Amino acid sequence: MFHKTSFTTLIIGVFVVYVLHTCWVMYGIVYTKPCDESSGVHCVTPYLAKKPRLQLSIYTSLKATGDGNPNLILYIEDFDIHSKFERKINVSIPKKTRNNGTLYTYVFVHQAGVSPWHDNKEVHLVAQLTSYMVLKPQEVNLISGEDPTQQSEPHRKTTNVPDRPVAHWRSRLTFNIMADDFSFDGESLPGDVHRYMKILQYGKKVQYLPILFVDLLSNRVKDLVVINSSTTELPLTVSYDTISLGKLRFWIHMQDAVYSLQQFGFTEKDADEIKGIFVDTNLYFLALTFFVAAFHLLFDFLAFKNDISFWKKKKSMVGMSSKAVLWRCFSTIVIFLYLLDEQTSMLILIPAGVGSIIEVWKVKKAFKMQIHWHGLKPTFKFGTSDESERRTEAYDTQAMKYLSYLLYPLCIGGAGYSLVYVKYKSWYSWLINSLVNGVYAFGFLFMLPQLFVNYKFKSVAHLPWKAFMYKAFNTFIDDVFAFIITMPTSHRLACFRDDVVFLGYLYQRWLYPVDKSRVNEYGQSYDEKPKGKPHKD
């Protein structure tokens, strides 16, 4: 017991150190010490303090270097940096871009009345207006073979979906200017902001020009539009607002983190899920999300650890519903395949895959299964059950018999309805969706046999309560994530469904209290201690 406690304590200690270190790093990012000119330190002052007359010019170009006849798409002569705006303009699409090419934009802030290409006090940034993604497979009605969208749009031609990346138009361009009247210490400029700074020196006086920032986190997958060969113009929404220094530094770090994930193989869709966490929530809620995610990770690890430890020592299935274990294994595999088919975020997919592997291992333990290999042919051998286990199995079978009268008609009816009225990519997609809808909508019914077995035995001592409590905490944390991370609606509703089941187990926990000092009739105690004195009745 000492070794287990010390290991758990070590993990919690590492977790606390990680959270404190992250808070310290975040404080260092958000807070920047201003320069004190009275102390004789070399300061870099803002050029905007003079209130110069500025101009905004936005161009498009086929090349990132600016060559190739840039085209002016937006021009604001008297540009007030403190006045936010949002404008929708139409942009001409060159022939090369229509043929799966790239289009760039140049955002200039420069002196009014001076060409941005010849102004020594201009600041500019280059960003892509195009992105590349593989198109989603076309969905059709599997019975009629028709696409409902084509019925409403008869002029639309049916085309095969290419399996190569296709150019998409980024319909939003968001940029900011750091408008704080802030003086930097010339000897300790923050590295994240420094690369966005353009510095001018007038004798001993040093100034930095307006810090321009193009917000790439606001480029969402939902805003992408497919570019085809017949497209000559596309709309572009240009948004501008000021940004504080603290938020600018934080946004630069988050933008770099998303870019690093894409370099490690994250797709545009995976990166979009992370962008949504930052863009669609305010900073206070984002800080709450960080702590929630950190605790979710801790509870996930502790739940896996205690769950595996419990089942590793498990020798008897007395009081445990073997059918519920088998159902959990089946449902987690179906959910994993469904999330994989829906191309869900890796933040959801990876834990689902790990959970599926653990549930398969539990089934092997629950049915006392042994696998013997004769070459490439496996042979399965199942263990025998004692009297108490057979009694548990009888209660389990009785509960499943009553549930089957309700569950099977509902699942078959739902699958038939979706086949007739809903469109799918393939028959496999329909099968997986039908199974997962049954799991999500009625799957909690399969958790009821364990409640029935507990009721018959008038005991809950046989359950892995440590792992269960960690999972219960994560259930409520999942309720928070259900509103933050993009996921299928059925998966989101399942998070709240688990709350009801947890309350049922909690009620039985109160109804059938466990005497921790007594070994129960199944030969188990609440906390299985390696060394303990026998209790004298």
Side-chain angles (χ1 to χ4, degrees), residues 68-95:
N69 299 321
N71 178 38
L72 182 65
I73 59 172
L74 182 62
Y75 166 78
I76 300 179
E77 185 173 359
D78 291 318
F79 177 52
D80 182 6
I81 64 168
H82 297 285
S83 299
K84 66 178 183 178
F85 68 84
E86 180 173 297
R87 295 190 185 183
K88 181 172 285 190
I89 57 177
N90 290 323
V91 180
S92 299
I93 309 300
K95 184 177 180 180

PDB file of all heavy atoms in Angstrom, residues 68-95:
ATOM      1  N   GLY A  68       5.039  40.421 -59.382  1.00  0.00           N
ATOM      2  CA  GLY A  68       3.900  39.925 -60.148  1.00  0.00           C
ATOM      3  C   GLY A  68       2.671  40.813 -60.078  1.00  0.00           C
ATOM      4  O   GLY A  68       1.558  40.309 -59.939  1.00  0.00           O
ATOM      5  N   ASN A  69       2.867  42.148 -60.213  1.00  0.00           N
ATOM      6  CA  ASN A  69       1.763  43.104 -60.302  1.00  0.00           C
ATOM      7  C   ASN A  69       0.752  42.954 -59.166  1.00  0.00           C
ATOM      8  O   ASN A  69      -0.337  42.411 -59.342  1.00  0.00           O
ATOM      9  CB  ASN A  69       1.035  42.962 -61.651  1.00  0.00           C
ATOM     10  CG  ASN A  69       1.944  43.227 -62.819  1.00  0.00           C
ATOM     11  OD1 ASN A  69       2.787  44.123 -62.762  1.00  0.00           O
ATOM     12  ND2 ASN A  69       1.804  42.438 -63.881  1.00  0.00           N
ATOM     13  N   PRO A  70       1.095  43.415 -57.957  1.00  0.00           N
ATOM     14  CA  PRO A  70       0.140  43.351 -56.840  1.00  0.00           C
ATOM     15  C   PRO A  70      -1.117  44.171 -57.130  1.00  0.00           C
ATOM     16  O   PRO A  70      -1.052  45.239 -57.755  1.00  0.00           O
ATOM     17  CB  PRO A  70       0.927  43.923 -55.663  1.00  0.00           C
ATOM     18  CG  PRO A  70       2.039  44.704 -56.263  1.00  0.00           C
ATOM     19  CD  PRO A  70       2.378  44.031 -57.548  1.00  0.00           C
ATOM     20  N   ASN A  71      -2.244  43.672 -56.658  1.00  0.00           N
ATOM     21  CA  ASN A  71      -3.537  44.284 -56.932  1.00  0.00           C
ATOM     22  C   ASN A  71      -4.092  44.897 -55.643  1.00  0.00           C
ATOM     23  O   ASN A  71      -4.238  44.210 -54.627  1.00  0.00           O
ATOM     24  CB  ASN A  71      -4.497  43.216 -57.484  1.00  0.00           C
ATOM     25  CG  ASN A  71      -5.881  43.792 -57.749  1.00  0.00           C
ATOM     26  OD1 ASN A  71      -6.033  44.917 -58.199  1.00  0.00           O
ATOM     27  ND2 ASN A  71      -6.907  43.006 -57.438  1.00  0.00           N
ATOM     28  N   LEU A  72      -4.393  46.201 -55.662  1.00  0.00           N
ATOM     29  CA  LEU A  72      -4.931  46.899 -54.500  1.00  0.00           C
ATOM     30  C   LEU A  72      -6.395  46.537 -54.314  1.00  0.00           C
ATOM     31  O   LEU A  72      -7.209  46.713 -55.222  1.00  0.00           O
ATOM     32  CB  LEU A  72      -4.784  48.418 -54.677  1.00  0.00           C
ATOM     33  CG  LEU A  72      -5.261  49.298 -53.512  1.00  0.00           C
ATOM     34  CD1 LEU A  72      -4.412  49.055 -52.273  1.00  0.00           C
ATOM     35  CD2 LEU A  72      -5.220  50.777 -53.912  1.00  0.00           C
ATOM     36  N   ILE A  73      -6.762  46.009 -53.131  1.00  0.00           N
ATOM     37  CA  ILE A  73      -8.149  45.600 -52.885  1.00  0.00           C
ATOM     38  C   ILE A  73      -8.835  46.450 -51.811  1.00  0.00           C
ATOM     39  O   ILE A  73     -10.054  46.485 -51.746  1.00  0.00           O
ATOM     40  CB  ILE A  73      -8.213  44.104 -52.485  1.00  0.00           C
ATOM     41  CG1 ILE A  73      -7.391  43.840 -51.216  1.00  0.00           C
ATOM     42  CG2 ILE A  73      -7.758  43.211 -53.625  1.00  0.00           C
ATOM     43  CD1 ILE A  73      -7.558  42.431 -50.661  1.00  0.00           C
ATOM     44  N   LEU A  74      -8.054  47.130 -50.956  1.00  0.00           N
ATOM     45  CA  LEU A  74      -8.650  47.991 -49.923  1.00  0.00           C
ATOM     46  C   LEU A  74      -7.697  49.142 -49.626  1.00  0.00           C
ATOM     47  O   LEU A  74      -6.491  48.943 -49.500  1.00  0.00           O
ATOM     48  CB  LEU A  74      -8.933  47.193 -48.640  1.00  0.00           C
ATOM     49  CG  LEU A  74      -9.595  47.979 -47.492  1.00  0.00           C
ATOM     50  CD1 LEU A  74     -10.961  48.498 -47.915  1.00  0.00           C
ATOM     51  CD2 LEU A  74      -9.727  47.113 -46.240  1.00  0.00           C
ATOM     52  N   TYR A  75      -8.287  50.346 -49.492  1.00  0.00           N
ATOM     53  CA  TYR A  75      -7.489  51.546 -49.296  1.00  0.00           C
ATOM     54  C   TYR A  75      -8.240  52.482 -48.351  1.00  0.00           C
ATOM     55  O   TYR A  75      -9.385  52.847 -48.601  1.00  0.00           O
ATOM     56  CB  TYR A  75      -7.257  52.209 -50.660  1.00  0.00           C
ATOM     57  CG  TYR A  75      -6.748  53.629 -50.632  1.00  0.00           C
ATOM     58  CD1 TYR A  75      -5.401  53.911 -50.381  1.00  0.00           C
ATOM     59  CD2 TYR A  75      -7.609  54.708 -50.869  1.00  0.00           C
ATOM     60  CE1 TYR A  75      -4.943  55.219 -50.368  1.00  0.00           C
ATOM     61  CE2 TYR A  75      -7.145  56.009 -50.856  1.00  0.00           C
ATOM     62  CZ  TYR A  75      -5.821  56.254 -50.602  1.00  0.00           C
ATOM     63  OH  TYR A  75      -5.352  57.550 -50.588  1.00  0.00           O
ATOM     64  N   ILE A  76      -7.618  52.827 -47.208  1.00  0.00           N
ATOM     65  CA  ILE A  76      -8.198  53.778 -46.253  1.00  0.00           C
ATOM     66  C   ILE A  76      -7.173  54.892 -46.040  1.00  0.00           C
ATOM     67  O   ILE A  76      -6.110  54.669 -45.460  1.00  0.00           O
ATOM     68  CB  ILE A  76      -8.540  53.101 -44.913  1.00  0.00           C
ATOM     69  CG1 ILE A  76      -9.562  51.976 -45.127  1.00  0.00           C
ATOM     70  CG2 ILE A  76      -9.080  54.114 -43.919  1.00  0.00           C
ATOM     71  CD1 ILE A  76      -9.935  51.241 -43.854  1.00  0.00           C
ATOM     72  N   GLU A  77      -7.510  56.073 -46.505  1.00  0.00           N
ATOM     73  CA  GLU A  77      -6.527  57.176 -46.508  1.00  0.00           C
ATOM     74  C   GLU A  77      -6.247  57.688 -45.102  1.00  0.00           C
ATOM     75  O   GLU A  77      -5.085  57.805 -44.702  1.00  0.00           O
ATOM     76  CB  GLU A  77      -7.032  58.326 -47.398  1.00  0.00           C
ATOM     77  CG  GLU A  77      -6.022  59.433 -47.551  1.00  0.00           C
ATOM     78  CD  GLU A  77      -6.471  60.475 -48.557  1.00  0.00           C
ATOM     79  OE1 GLU A  77      -7.566  60.310 -49.130  1.00  0.00           O
ATOM     80  OE2 GLU A  77      -5.723  61.457 -48.764  1.00  0.00           O
ATOM     81  N   ASP A  78      -7.277  58.018 -44.347  1.00  0.00           N
ATOM     82  CA  ASP A  78      -7.094  58.479 -42.967  1.00  0.00           C
ATOM     83  C   ASP A  78      -7.407  57.307 -42.038  1.00  0.00           C
ATOM     84  O   ASP A  78      -8.561  57.129 -41.597  1.00  0.00           O
ATOM     85  CB  ASP A  78      -8.007  59.674 -42.670  1.00  0.00           C
ATOM     86  CG  ASP A  78      -7.570  60.917 -43.425  1.00  0.00           C
ATOM     87  OD1 ASP A  78      -6.359  61.162 -43.490  1.00  0.00           O
ATOM     88  OD2 ASP A  78      -8.447  61.614 -43.975  1.00  0.00           O
ATOM     89  N   PHE A  79      -6.395  56.549 -41.738  1.00  0.00           N
ATOM     90  CA  PHE A  79      -6.564  55.328 -40.942  1.00  0.00           C
ATOM     91  C   PHE A  79      -6.356  55.639 -39.472  1.00  0.00           C
ATOM     92  O   PHE A  79      -5.254  55.981 -39.050  1.00  0.00           O
ATOM     93  CB  PHE A  79      -5.583  54.264 -41.429  1.00  0.00           C
ATOM     94  CG  PHE A  79      -5.630  52.989 -40.635  1.00  0.00           C
ATOM     95  CD1 PHE A  79      -6.831  52.325 -40.405  1.00  0.00           C
ATOM     96  CD2 PHE A  79      -4.466  52.453 -40.091  1.00  0.00           C
ATOM     97  CE1 PHE A  79      -6.870  51.156 -39.671  1.00  0.00           C
ATOM     98  CE2 PHE A  79      -4.499  51.276 -39.351  1.00  0.00           C
ATOM     99  CZ  PHE A  79      -5.709  50.629 -39.143  1.00  0.00           C
ATOM    100  N   ASP A  80      -7.442  55.538 -38.682  1.00  0.00           N
ATOM    101  CA  ASP A  80      -7.383  55.763 -37.247  1.00  0.00           C
ATOM    102  C   ASP A  80      -7.181  54.403 -36.576  1.00  0.00           C
ATOM    103  O   ASP A  80      -8.068  53.535 -36.624  1.00  0.00           O
ATOM    104  CB  ASP A  80      -8.677  56.415 -36.767  1.00  0.00           C
ATOM    105  CG  ASP A  80      -8.662  56.714 -35.266  1.00  0.00           C
ATOM    106  OD1 ASP A  80      -7.593  56.522 -34.628  1.00  0.00           O
ATOM    107  OD2 ASP A  80      -9.722  57.101 -34.731  1.00  0.00           O
ATOM    108  N   ILE A  81      -6.058  54.206 -35.918  1.00  0.00           N
ATOM    109  CA  ILE A  81      -5.748  52.891 -35.354  1.00  0.00           C
ATOM    110  C   ILE A  81      -6.658  52.541 -34.188  1.00  0.00           C
ATOM    111  O   ILE A  81      -6.764  51.368 -33.799  1.00  0.00           O
ATOM    112  CB  ILE A  81      -4.277  52.820 -34.892  1.00  0.00           C
ATOM    113  CG1 ILE A  81      -4.030  53.818 -33.753  1.00  0.00           C
ATOM    114  CG2 ILE A  81      -3.328  53.044 -36.052  1.00  0.00           C
ATOM    115  CD1 ILE A  81      -2.698  53.609 -33.071  1.00  0.00           C
ATOM    116  N   HIS A  82      -7.335  53.533 -33.603  1.00  0.00           N
ATOM    117  CA  HIS A  82      -8.205  53.272 -32.457  1.00  0.00           C
ATOM    118  C   HIS A  82      -9.646  52.994 -32.860  1.00  0.00           C
ATOM    119  O   HIS A  82     -10.491  52.751 -31.996  1.00  0.00           O
ATOM    120  CB  HIS A  82      -8.172  54.461 -31.492  1.00  0.00           C
ATOM    121  CG  HIS A  82      -6.820  54.711 -30.893  1.00  0.00           C
ATOM    122  ND1 HIS A  82      -6.279  53.921 -29.909  1.00  0.00           N
ATOM    123  CD2 HIS A  82      -5.891  55.676 -31.169  1.00  0.00           C
ATOM    124  CE1 HIS A  82      -5.075  54.372 -29.586  1.00  0.00           C
ATOM    125  NE2 HIS A  82      -4.814  55.438 -30.331  1.00  0.00           N
ATOM    126  N   SER A  83      -9.947  53.029 -34.163  1.00  0.00           N
ATOM    127  CA  SER A  83     -11.304  52.783 -34.646  1.00  0.00           C
ATOM    128  C   SER A  83     -11.356  51.410 -35.323  1.00  0.00           C
ATOM    129  O   SER A  83     -10.761  51.212 -36.388  1.00  0.00           O
ATOM    130  CB  SER A  83     -11.731  53.868 -35.648  1.00  0.00           C
ATOM    131  OG  SER A  83     -11.716  55.136 -35.033  1.00  0.00           O
ATOM    132  N   LYS A  84     -12.033  50.467 -34.678  1.00  0.00           N
ATOM    133  CA  LYS A  84     -12.134  49.137 -35.283  1.00  0.00           C
ATOM    134  C   LYS A  84     -13.183  49.166 -36.396  1.00  0.00           C
ATOM    135  O   LYS A  84     -14.104  49.996 -36.389  1.00  0.00           O
ATOM    136  CB  LYS A  84     -12.477  48.089 -34.242  1.00  0.00           C
ATOM    137  CG  LYS A  84     -13.856  48.224 -33.623  1.00  0.00           C
ATOM    138  CD  LYS A  84     -14.095  47.074 -32.640  1.00  0.00           C
ATOM    139  CE  LYS A  84     -15.501  47.140 -32.046  1.00  0.00           C
ATOM    140  NZ  LYS A  84     -15.761  46.007 -31.128  1.00  0.00           N
ATOM    141  N   PHE A  85     -13.038  48.247 -37.348  1.00  0.00           N
ATOM    142  CA  PHE A  85     -13.985  48.177 -38.453  1.00  0.00           C
ATOM    143  C   PHE A  85     -14.035  46.747 -39.002  1.00  0.00           C
ATOM    144  O   PHE A  85     -13.171  45.909 -38.721  1.00  0.00           O
ATOM    145  CB  PHE A  85     -13.605  49.154 -39.569  1.00  0.00           C
ATOM    146  CG  PHE A  85     -12.338  48.798 -40.305  1.00  0.00           C
ATOM    147  CD1 PHE A  85     -12.342  47.892 -41.365  1.00  0.00           C
ATOM    148  CD2 PHE A  85     -11.125  49.376 -39.949  1.00  0.00           C
ATOM    149  CE1 PHE A  85     -11.181  47.570 -42.035  1.00  0.00           C
ATOM    150  CE2 PHE A  85      -9.958  49.060 -40.616  1.00  0.00           C
ATOM    151  CZ  PHE A  85      -9.984  48.151 -41.660  1.00  0.00           C
ATOM    152  N   GLU A  86     -15.064  46.501 -39.784  1.00  0.00           N
ATOM    153  CA  GLU A  86     -15.211  45.236 -40.509  1.00  0.00           C
ATOM    154  C   GLU A  86     -15.854  45.551 -41.851  1.00  0.00           C
ATOM    155  O   GLU A  86     -16.954  46.122 -41.894  1.00  0.00           O
ATOM    156  CB  GLU A  86     -16.046  44.236 -39.720  1.00  0.00           C
ATOM    157  CG  GLU A  86     -16.222  42.888 -40.433  1.00  0.00           C
ATOM    158  CD  GLU A  86     -16.908  41.847 -39.573  1.00  0.00           C
ATOM    159  OE1 GLU A  86     -16.332  41.494 -38.527  1.00  0.00           O
ATOM    160  OE2 GLU A  86     -18.024  41.410 -39.946  1.00  0.00           O
ATOM    161  N   ARG A  87     -15.167  45.190 -42.924  1.00  0.00           N
ATOM    162  CA  ARG A  87     -15.663  45.478 -44.268  1.00  0.00           C
ATOM    163  C   ARG A  87     -15.638  44.215 -45.120  1.00  0.00           C
ATOM    164  O   ARG A  87     -14.713  43.412 -45.018  1.00  0.00           O
ATOM    165  CB  ARG A  87     -14.818  46.554 -44.946  1.00  0.00           C
ATOM    166  CG  ARG A  87     -14.886  47.919 -44.260  1.00  0.00           C
ATOM    167  CD  ARG A  87     -14.237  48.986 -45.089  1.00  0.00           C
ATOM    168  NE  ARG A  87     -14.194  50.260 -44.391  1.00  0.00           N
ATOM    169  CZ  ARG A  87     -13.720  51.392 -44.898  1.00  0.00           C
ATOM    170  NH1 ARG A  87     -13.223  51.389 -46.143  1.00  0.00           N
ATOM    171  NH2 ARG A  87     -13.724  52.512 -44.195  1.00  0.00           N
ATOM    172  N   LYS A  88     -16.655  44.085 -45.957  1.00  0.00           N
ATOM    173  CA  LYS A  88     -16.713  42.963 -46.881  1.00  0.00           C
ATOM    174  C   LYS A  88     -16.446  43.484 -48.288  1.00  0.00           C
ATOM    175  O   LYS A  88     -17.128  44.410 -48.759  1.00  0.00           O
ATOM    176  CB  LYS A  88     -18.076  42.274 -46.820  1.00  0.00           C
ATOM    177  CG  LYS A  88     -18.205  41.075 -47.758  1.00  0.00           C
ATOM    178  CD  LYS A  88     -19.505  40.315 -47.528  1.00  0.00           C
ATOM    179  CE  LYS A  88     -19.435  39.488 -46.270  1.00  0.00           C
ATOM    180  NZ  LYS A  88     -20.591  38.551 -46.149  1.00  0.00           N
ATOM    181  N   ILE A  89     -15.458  42.912 -48.947  1.00  0.00           N
ATOM    182  CA  ILE A  89     -15.075  43.321 -50.298  1.00  0.00           C
ATOM    183  C   ILE A  89     -15.029  42.096 -51.203  1.00  0.00           C
ATOM    184  O   ILE A  89     -14.935  40.951 -50.735  1.00  0.00           O
ATOM    185  CB  ILE A  89     -13.694  44.026 -50.304  1.00  0.00           C
ATOM    186  CG1 ILE A  89     -12.625  43.101 -49.708  1.00  0.00           C
ATOM    187  CG2 ILE A  89     -13.757  45.342 -49.548  1.00  0.00           C
ATOM    188  CD1 ILE A  89     -11.224  43.698 -49.738  1.00  0.00           C
ATOM    189  N   ASN A  90     -15.110  42.316 -52.496  1.00  0.00           N
ATOM    190  CA  ASN A  90     -14.976  41.254 -53.486  1.00  0.00           C
ATOM    191  C   ASN A  90     -13.574  41.296 -54.072  1.00  0.00           C
ATOM    192  O   ASN A  90     -13.090  42.360 -54.473  1.00  0.00           O
ATOM    193  CB  ASN A  90     -16.020  41.406 -54.592  1.00  0.00           C
ATOM    194  CG  ASN A  90     -17.425  41.113 -54.107  1.00  0.00           C
ATOM    195  OD1 ASN A  90     -17.624  40.212 -53.292  1.00  0.00           O
ATOM    196  ND2 ASN A  90     -18.405  41.864 -54.589  1.00  0.00           N
ATOM    197  N   VAL A  91     -12.929  40.139 -54.115  1.00  0.00           N
ATOM    198  CA  VAL A  91     -11.550  40.040 -54.584  1.00  0.00           C
ATOM    199  C   VAL A  91     -11.513  39.239 -55.882  1.00  0.00           C
ATOM    200  O   VAL A  91     -12.101  38.141 -55.963  1.00  0.00           O
ATOM    201  CB  VAL A  91     -10.658  39.360 -53.524  1.00  0.00           C
ATOM    202  CG1 VAL A  91      -9.221  39.266 -54.020  1.00  0.00           C
ATOM    203  CG2 VAL A  91     -10.722  40.123 -52.212  1.00  0.00           C
ATOM    204  N   SER A  92     -10.840  39.771 -56.885  1.00  0.00           N
ATOM    205  CA  SER A  92     -10.670  39.064 -58.160  1.00  0.00           C
ATOM    206  C   SER A  92      -9.693  37.910 -57.978  1.00  0.00           C
ATOM    207  O   SER A  92      -8.620  38.083 -57.395  1.00  0.00           O
ATOM    208  CB  SER A  92     -10.166  40.017 -59.249  1.00  0.00           C
ATOM    209  OG  SER A  92     -11.099  41.063 -59.474  1.00  0.00           O
ATOM    210  N   ILE A  93     -10.047  36.753 -58.501  1.00  0.00           N
ATOM    211  CA  ILE A  93      -9.220  35.549 -58.359  1.00  0.00           C
ATOM    212  C   ILE A  93      -8.452  35.317 -59.660  1.00  0.00           C
ATOM    213  O   ILE A  93      -9.069  35.084 -60.712  1.00  0.00           O
ATOM    214  CB  ILE A  93     -10.073  34.311 -58.017  1.00  0.00           C
ATOM    215  CG1 ILE A  93     -10.985  34.594 -56.819  1.00  0.00           C
ATOM    216  CG2 ILE A  93      -9.181  33.111 -57.747  1.00  0.00           C
ATOM    217  CD1 ILE A  93     -10.248  34.968 -55.555  1.00  0.00           C
ATOM    218  N   PRO A  94      -7.116  35.399 -59.645  1.00  0.00           N
ATOM    219  CA  PRO A  94      -6.338  35.166 -60.859  1.00  0.00           C
ATOM    220  C   PRO A  94      -6.514  33.743 -61.394  1.00  0.00           C
ATOM    221  O   PRO A  94      -6.897  32.825 -60.661  1.00  0.00           O
ATOM    222  CB  PRO A  94      -4.888  35.409 -60.407  1.00  0.00           C
ATOM    223  CG  PRO A  94      -4.994  36.173 -59.135  1.00  0.00           C
ATOM    224  CD  PRO A  94      -6.267  35.734 -58.490  1.00  0.00           C
ATOM    225  N   LYS A  95      -6.211  33.557 -62.664  1.00  0.00           N
ATOM    226  CA  LYS A  95      -6.372  32.250 -63.307  1.00  0.00           C
ATOM    227  C   LYS A  95      -5.482  31.194 -62.650  1.00  0.00           C
ATOM    228  O   LYS A  95      -5.886  30.042 -62.482  1.00  0.00           O
ATOM    229  CB  LYS A  95      -6.038  32.369 -64.794  1.00  0.00           C
ATOM    230  CG  LYS A  95      -6.258  31.082 -65.571  1.00  0.00           C
ATOM    231  CD  LYS A  95      -5.969  31.281 -67.053  1.00  0.00           C
ATOM    232  CE  LYS A  95      -6.197  29.972 -67.823  1.00  0.00           C
ATOM    233  NZ  LYS A  95      -5.924  30.138 -69.268  1.00  0.00           N
TER     234      LYS A  95
END
